[in-house]
Amino acid sequence: MRDEQETVAYRIEAGIAWVSFNRPEKRNCMSPSLNRRMMAVLDELEYRDDFGVLVLKGEGSAWCAGMDLKEYFRETEEQGLGAVRKAQSEAYGWWRRLRWYQKPTIAMINGWCFGGGYGPLFACDLAFAAEEAQFGLSEINWGILPGGGASKVAAELLPFRRAMYHAMMGENVDGRTAAEWGLVNEAVPLAALEARVAEVARVLLEKNPVALKATKDAVRRVREMTYDNAEDYLIRAQEAANFFDETEGRKEGIRQFIDDKSYKPGLGAYDKDRAVPVPSSS
Ligand code: COA
């Protein structure tokens, strides 16, 4: 069995952290060891300043074949309720961590994506798939409901009839259909996937990172708010971002447009490297 340490791999290159599910021989299904290791890796990386975007990919032919039926279900059930609850909290824990991650996150679905894999799929802010990838809520095929958030993900991302069909029929869809349905942003041929994801990541790296964190949290949070609550939350969130942004990016963004005329916000981002950090107490 693969050492816990090796169930997740990562490398940082040109501002992008490429984090991989690394159990290709088991189609990257999520065992308790992998879940613990992934949380440790996310912890280790979150506040490092040598990267600005995290990409979650899979080694080999799979992105993630869902929960490990042997190690996550059978073996923990044999150990009793305490072990089951612990395994659940380890899995759900890193998905939650990823949903609210400090850096923008991109799921790069290179192959199989099943069941429990919908948790990390939804946790990533953006998702790009290979046209050849296969997505499925396979739980019904082995006799359970799509748990671990998977039913919620289907209901969040898909129209009602489609979510119902997807969950009840246990049929797979390819990356192209997943993009049409809105499970992912886009599908491209597998050979072009990494380049497309790197291109998207590079655009994100140009943006103000404080504004990006505020934006991704805002889009997730407001889904569950009334309009009035959302308006109020967004005012508070922007004011909090103003406090955290030591570069006072919004003022610099206005200055470069109105005074310097060096860019147009409608056509691209201001040059954040020209902003001068100011003390955060202002
Ligand atoms: N849990 C446990 N083991 C899994 C697994 C999972 N979810 N997915 C794959 N594996 C294991 C297989 O048992 C096999 O192990 P072995 O080599 O010790 O026999 C190994 O990974 C390779 O899988 P295999 O089925 O031979 O690969 P494949 O490429 O022919 O098929 C899948 C890939 C993903 C279609 C197939 O493995 C599968 O259906 N997996 C289960 C998917 C699923 O229902 N996940 C939802 C869980 S919530």
Side-chain angles (χ1 to χ4, degrees):
M1 200 166 77
R2 192 176 278 265
D3 189 57
E4 179 165 320
Q5 196 76 10
E6 292 169 1
T7 56
V8 175
Y10 70 86
R11 66 174 211 279
I12 294 177
E13 236 173 64
I16 305 170
W18 300 88
V19 178
S20 310
F21 291 107
N22 192 34
R23 298 178 76 209
E25 68 286 358
K26 296 288 179 190
R27 304 300 178 264
N28 298 324
C29 64
M30 292 177 279
S31 61
S33 305
L34 182 144
N35 291 329
R36 280 193 294 275
R37 181 62 192 146
M38 192 64 91
M39 181 64 119
V41 166
L42 293 179
D43 254 341
E44 207 169 300
L45 294 178
E46 189 161 16
Y47 294 100
R48 276 170 59 154
D49 51 19
D50 55 352
F51 78 99
V53 175
L54 184 145
V55 176
L56 184 58
K57 64 197 269 280
E59 292 301 323
S61 62
W63 187 66
C64 175
M67 309 318 293
D68 187 320
L69 269 57
K70 177 169 169 279
E71 295 183 37
Y72 179 84
F73 287 107
R74 187 162 71 189
E75 290 175 3
T76 53
E77 280 171 25
E78 280 166 6
Q79 291 165 40
L81 186 60
V84 170
R85 291 287 180 263
K86 180 168 180 286
Q88 288 166 338
S89 74
E90 285 168 345
Y92 303 173
W94 77 260
W95 305 340
R96 186 177 312 118
R97 185 68 178 275
L98 198 57
R99 284 199 298 279
W100 304 105
Y101 211 59
Q102 184 67 24
K103 312 281 174 73
T105 55
I106 305 176
M108 184 175 103
I109 300 97
N110 46 294
W112 305 111
C113 176
F114 284 113
Y118 281 41
L121 172 69
F122 181 64
C124 288
D125 305 320
L126 301 173
F128 292 77
E131 289 172 353
E132 299 89 332
Q134 292 283 323
F135 294 76
L137 290 178
S138 53
E139 286 89 341
I140 197 68
N141 292 339
W142 63 277
I144 70 164
L145 61 78
S151 296
K152 174 69 173 162
V153 175
E156 286 281 316
L157 296 183
L158 303 176
F160 178 76
R161 290 288 173 216
R162 202 161 261 172
M164 211 46 118
Y165 188 95
H166 196 49
M168 293 178 71
M169 295 292 282
E171 291 174 3
N172 299 336
V173 296
D174 64 10
R176 205 187 296 246
T177 305
E180 273 166 31
W181 283 11
L183 278 174
V184 298
N185 292 92
E186 215 176 288
V188 296
L190 179 60
L193 182 61
E194 189 165 320
R196 175 63 183 134
V197 167
E199 182 182 56
V200 170
R202 280 194 296 274
V203 173
L204 294 172
L205 288 172
E206 295 296 313
K207 314 285 188 204
N208 178 321
V210 176
L212 271 179
K213 168 66 171 151
T215 299
K216 55 181 261 177
D217 285 3
V219 173
R220 271 189 205 274
R221 290 282 183 213
V222 299
R223 297 166 72 89
E224 293 173 5
M225 291 182 194
T226 62
Y227 199 97
D228 281 357
N229 287 348
E231 272 184 347
D232 194 50
Y233 166 85
L234 294 169
I235 289 170
R236 308 299 147 209
Q238 181 58 52
E239 287 170 357
N242 295 349
F243 176 79
F244 277 114
D245 184 3
E246 295 186 354
T247 68
E248 296 210 318
R250 70 201 182 286
K251 292 185 183 168
E252 182 64 17
I254 294 172
R255 197 185 65 72
Q256 288 182 20
F257 176 50
I258 299 294
D259 303 332
D260 291 0
K261 300 195 184 302
S262 56
Y263 84 113
K264 294 175 193 289
L267 303 177
Y270 75 96
D271 181 356
K272 66 180 162 55
D273 297 331
R274 283 171 54 205
V276 184
V278 293
S280 57
S281 56
S282 64

